[in-house]
Amino acid sequence: MKQVKDIMKKRAVSVNEHDDIRTVCMALSRHKVSGLPVLGASGKLVGFVSERDIISAVARPGFDRATARHVMTRRVKTISDDAPVTSASKIFSEEDYRLLPVVRDGRLVGMIGRKEVVNFMMGNYY
């Protein structure tokens, strides 16, 4: 059975929790993604910042001085790199996620999106 590590994107783009909001927005735009993992000083995953998080934060006072830490979602749904691809598929079908950080021992090792799962599944049938 294929595992998440077999189809995930191994070069995961991330931001630091202290990156300013402008840096976060530029990274989202530059890499054409809807969300990014947020890493703490130790290099461990501490959150996830999405376009939705930024849009929600725009109306808050001090938005122009915000950092990734201020706008990120702290409770991040992740998946292990050794999980079966069907586990990722189940998460995507049951929850409104487009991307999942892939972790090993709390450290970011990749990203998997709906696109990778669909492409894998389609390859199994065609």
Side-chain angles (χ1 to χ4, degrees):
M1 177 171 283
K2 285 275 190 186
Q3 295 177 315
V4 167
K5 65 183 164 193
D6 298 323
I7 66 168
M8 71 181 190
K9 290 182 180 177
K10 292 173 179 66
R11 291 187 181 193
V13 178
S14 63
V15 292
N16 180 285
E17 66 181 327
H18 299 295
D19 285 344
D20 63 52
I21 203 67
R22 183 176 306 267
T23 300
V24 174
C25 290
M26 287 186 334
L28 288 167
S29 178
R30 183 180 316 117
H31 298 286
K32 297 179 173 115
V33 293
S34 60
L36 293 166
V38 180
L39 304 181
S42 68
K44 289 202 173 188
L45 183 70
V46 295
F48 193 86
V49 63
S50 68
E51 293 169 329
R52 182 179 292 174
D53 295 324
I54 291 170
I55 289 168
S56 296
V58 167
R60 291 187 218 147
F63 172 75
D64 57 328
R65 295 181 308 280
T67 65
R69 183 178 182 170
H70 293 114
V71 300
M72 71 183 188
T73 299
R74 295 178 193 287
R75 288 186 162 181
V76 182
K77 183 76 162 189
T78 63
I79 193 162
S80 172
D81 65 335
D82 61 359
V85 173
T86 53
S87 293
S89 178
K90 183 174 180 177
I91 292 169
F92 289 131
S93 70
E94 293 176 351
E95 309 208 30
D96 189 28
Y97 295 116
R98 291 192 168 122
L99 297 167
L100 285 173
V102 181
V103 295
R104 183 183 315 126
D105 300 323
R107 296 207 177 269
L108 182 69
V109 295
M111 290 290 290
I112 189 167
R114 292 178 186 178
K115 182 179 178 179
E116 286 78 32
V117 173
V118 168
N119 287 341
F120 169 73
M121 295 298 196
M122 293 304 291
N124 282 342
Y125 297 110
Y126 294 98

